[in-house]
Structures are given as structure tokens and as C-alpha cells.
Amino acid sequence: QVQLVQSGAEVTKSGASLKVSCKASGYTFTAYYIHWVRQAPGQGLEWMGWINPNNGGTNYAQKFQGRVAMTSDTSIGTTYMELSRLRSDDTAVYYCARNKGGTAPRGGWFDPWGQGTLVTVSS
Amino acid sequence: QSALTQPASVSGSPGQSITISCTGISSDVGTYNLVSWYQQHPGKVPKLMIYEGSKRPSGVSNRFSGSKSGNTASLTISGLQAEDESNYYCCSYVGSNAYWVFGGGTKLTVL
């Protein structure tokens, strides 16, 4: 079955960088864009951006531009989201999700989602 | 890009119907029929309930339906059941820059 499995929880310090992985299985990895979405404790969902695993093309939400980098490794079917210059308000659960309904630049929806990775940033 | 506007909470009794609204602007909800809805139980992963405004994925109960009028999308749950108590989020594609934007979420309480 289609599945996205993310790396485990992380605790890190303000100012540091963090890289979360998302391994895909059950479908052709390069055929679907991957989104990253985060959720701060007790808060709503926030879209961060997408990556085209086929060619590495990306599109980031304006809020994260300059601080986020999404990459992919087609040899192992894995995408990565790296967030730099971490702050305490970056403490959140980070999700990857597959784009369905065509290529991301044309729209779509998120299905399925990874299990989430809790990132805790301490000062 | 501003978040879509959802009511913070709605409630209903078992068997009743409720509707959750999701208001955007002409450049997102108003232009594209690409609103999706997600159900998220506390501590769990979001689950797709509606896509392309009104379509249900396989396995989602037909008690869930979606619609759109102008800049407002809606999720209706009929025949409320205790298991429907959850948080619901709408999401829209914003074509001008290939972004997505979520609503702030609505907590549904089944009385």
C-alpha cells in the first residue's frame, strides 16, 4: 500500500538546523510531488512547500523562503525537508504528504500523509 | 497568503446535520474547484475526507459532503455520530503562485 514513513522525533537548539526525512513506498516515487506541512502544538495546519522528486524542483511558502530546503534522493525514494536558523516557534509536528490530482503546479490535494515528526526547539 | 476562515467550533447532537464553512478570496476558493477537507483526531494524522470540493475518497462515509458557493466552501456531515467528533481543516490551492493555504480548523463536538 502507499505509505510515507518519516524519521523520528528530534530535539534541537535555537539557531541550529534540522533535517527530516520522508520515505515513500507502494508507488512510483518520481510520479508524485511531495508537500511538507507543519502543526505547532495546539495549532492548525500550515503549508510549507512542495518538491518534485523527479527533477528536484521546489516551491516554498513565502514565510519559509531562505530558511527551508526540500531535496529528494530518487535512489532510495526519500524526500528531505531541512529548516535552518531554528527558533522556539518552529517547535511543531512536521508532516510530509503526497500530492494527488496531477502535478502540484496545477493543484491537487494531500493523500496520504506521513506519520509526522515532532521537532522540539529549545533555547 | 492569508489563511482561510473557518468557525472555531461547531456542535450538534447525534443524528443531526452540521455544516462547516470555509471562506477564502477570489484567488483561491473562488477561482479553483480544488478545496479539500481533512479530519484530524487529537494526536493523529490528518485524513482526507473531501477533494475537488465535493468528491469523496474511497472509504469515506457518504455522510460527508462538500460544496462551494462563491468564495465559500462548505463541509456537511449528516447523521452525526460520536466518532465524527474531531478537528476539521479546509485547504485550497492558490494558483497564482502554486501555493496551498489551510483554514484555521474547526472543532466539532458531538453533544
Side-chain angles (χ1 to χ4, degrees):
Chain A
Q1 75 282 23
V2 176
Q3 201 171 7
L4 300 174
V5 178
Q6 299 181 221
S7 48
E10 303 260 12
V11 179
T12 187
K13 291 204 176 284
S14 293
S17 296
L18 186 81
K19 198 170 188 176
V20 179
S21 68
C22 170
K23 182 172 176 59
S25 62
Y27 71 95
T28 301
F29 176 66
T30 52
Y32 293 86
Y33 288 55
I34 292 288
H35 296 267
W36 288 87
V37 175
R38 77 176 187 180
Q39 185 171 38
Q43 303 300 308
L45 300 170
E46 181 176 32
W47 180 78
M48 299 180 68
W50 54 252
I51 180 169
N52 177 355
N54 189 45
N55 61 15
T58 56
N59 191 27
Y60 305 138
Q62 189 169 11
K63 174 177 179 177
F64 299 102
Q65 286 180 10
R67 262 202 329 138
V68 70
M70 297 176 190
T71 56
S72 66
D73 185 338
T74 57
S75 67
I76 57 173
T78 299
T79 58
Y80 302 90
M81 187 283 299
E82 183 170 20
L83 192 60
S84 60
R85 303 192 298 280
L86 289 167
R87 309 184 292 254
S88 57
D89 62 358
D90 289 318
T91 293
V93 175
Y94 289 77
Y95 294 101
C96 60
R98 189 179 70 164
N99 188 79
K100 284 208 71 180
T103 61
R106 291 180 174 271
W109 51 94
F110 309 138
D111 185 51
W113 296 59
Q115 84 276 20
T117 297
L118 174 61
V119 172
T120 304
V121 181
S122 64
S123 53
Chain B
Q1 186 68 35
S2 299
L4 306 176
T5 301
Q6 296 181 234
S9 63
V10 298
S11 63
S13 299
Q16 287 185 331
S17 295
I18 64 94
T19 296
I20 300 171
S21 61
C22 169
T23 301
I25 58 178
S26 59
S27 60
D28 44 55
V29 175
T31 296
Y32 302 96
N33 201 27
L34 284 169
V35 172
S36 50
W37 290 89
Y38 302 87
Q39 176 192 64
Q40 186 184 34
H41 293 295
K44 301 298 185 183
V45 177
K47 175 186 175 184
L48 176 69
M49 304 302 284
I50 295 287
Y51 66 98
E52 288 186 325
S54 60
K55 297 179 181 178
R56 274 189 314 275
S58 173
V60 172
S61 170
N62 60 10
R63 298 186 298 106
F64 291 82
S65 62
S67 62
K68 188 185 89 166
S69 178
N71 295 338
T72 298
S74 299
L75 173 71
T76 298
I77 309 173
S78 59
L80 270 179
Q81 298 179 1
E83 67 205 49
D84 299 331
E85 185 163 294
S86 189
N87 294 298
Y88 292 87
Y89 294 90
C90 62
C91 183
S92 179
Y93 170 70
V94 185
S96 57
N97 45 21
Y99 280 10
W100 271 256
V101 61
F102 282 95
T106 298
K107 179 177 173 56
L108 168 62
T109 300
V110 180
L111 302 170

